[in-house]
Amino acid sequence: TLSSFWTIAHATTNVSSLQGKQKQGYLKKAEKILDDYIASGRLQSGKLPTPYHIAGKLHLSAAYFNDLLKFETGKTWEEYFQFKQLEKAKHLLQKNDNSPIAVAKQLGYPNVQYFSFIFKKGQAVHRMTIGTHKTKRPWVFLKDKPSTHENSM
């Protein structure tokens, strides 16, 4: 509808007009709220946080919060939440007494196979990003180099 278009347009305009420190302040608070949510154990029951939950705690609209997140991180809410889940998983797995099954359950994954798939996929993307920044060749960490790129360097 037209009114929702104007709401989104207004929120986008406001995000770009905020001062950098203000934006970072909201993001740090959002990160703390999300960390607390993950630590609370609510993910075990399958209750995933929504942008409405985080935005409400920050006294922002969900549309504004989504715009701010996308503007500052380049990630959607789903991408950001998955990134935070994987970050927490990596931390938990580094502790010797945590099994992948326990970590998957704690972080709200439906089963360990899905958790393993997402974790490996996230690690590959992370390595590719590092490879892109260091070597300008994003396929460095792939097993098979794309043949179209082998001779272009």
Side-chain angles (χ1 to χ4, degrees):
T1 66
L2 188 57
S3 64
S4 61
F5 168 76
W6 289 116
T7 303
I8 292 169
H10 180 68
T12 305
T13 303
N14 286 340
V15 168
S16 60
S17 66
L18 276 178
Q19 297 296 323
K21 288 181 182 179
Q22 246 183 327
K23 293 175 196 174
Q24 292 303 318
Y26 280 127
L27 289 178
K28 285 184 185 213
K29 288 177 186 175
E31 191 168 323
K32 171 90 171 87
I33 292 166
L34 189 54
D35 287 342
D36 291 346
Y37 192 96
I38 291 171
S40 74
R42 287 188 271 179
L43 291 176
Q44 289 182 25
S45 63
K47 294 181 182 176
L48 302 179
T50 65
Y52 298 99
H53 172 78
I54 305 295
K57 296 272 188 182
L58 296 171
H59 307 289
L60 301 172
S61 73
Y64 183 82
F65 174 68
N66 282 327
D67 286 344
L68 177 65
L69 192 63
K70 184 71 172 177
F71 187 80
E72 286 298 306
T73 68
K75 293 177 172 48
T76 64
W77 167 252
E78 291 79 16
E79 293 166 336
Y80 184 74
F81 177 67
Q82 189 173 67
F83 169 77
K84 293 299 290 178
Q85 269 185 310
L86 292 174
E87 197 174 73
K88 183 70 172 177
K90 197 180 329 179
H91 173 75
L92 291 171
L93 288 170
Q94 288 174 347
K95 293 181 178 179
N96 293 334
D97 58 338
N98 286 321
S99 70
I101 294 171
V103 171
K105 183 177 179 181
Q106 183 178 350
L107 295 178
Y109 289 95
N111 56 56
V112 72
Q113 292 84 4
Y114 182 68
F115 166 69
S116 179
F117 171 76
I118 295 295
F119 189 80
K120 288 176 185 175
K121 181 178 165 186
Q123 291 299 99
V125 168
H126 176 69
R127 287 192 303 269
M128 282 175 46
T129 303
I130 290 170
T132 302
H133 291 298
K134 288 185 179 179
T135 66
K136 303 289 187 212
R137 294 180 292 162
W139 61 87
V140 169
F141 296 99
L142 300 175
K143 289 183 181 180
D144 301 318
K145 288 183 185 178
S147 60
T148 57
H149 295 301
E150 286 179 351
N151 297 326
S152 65
M153 285 281 167

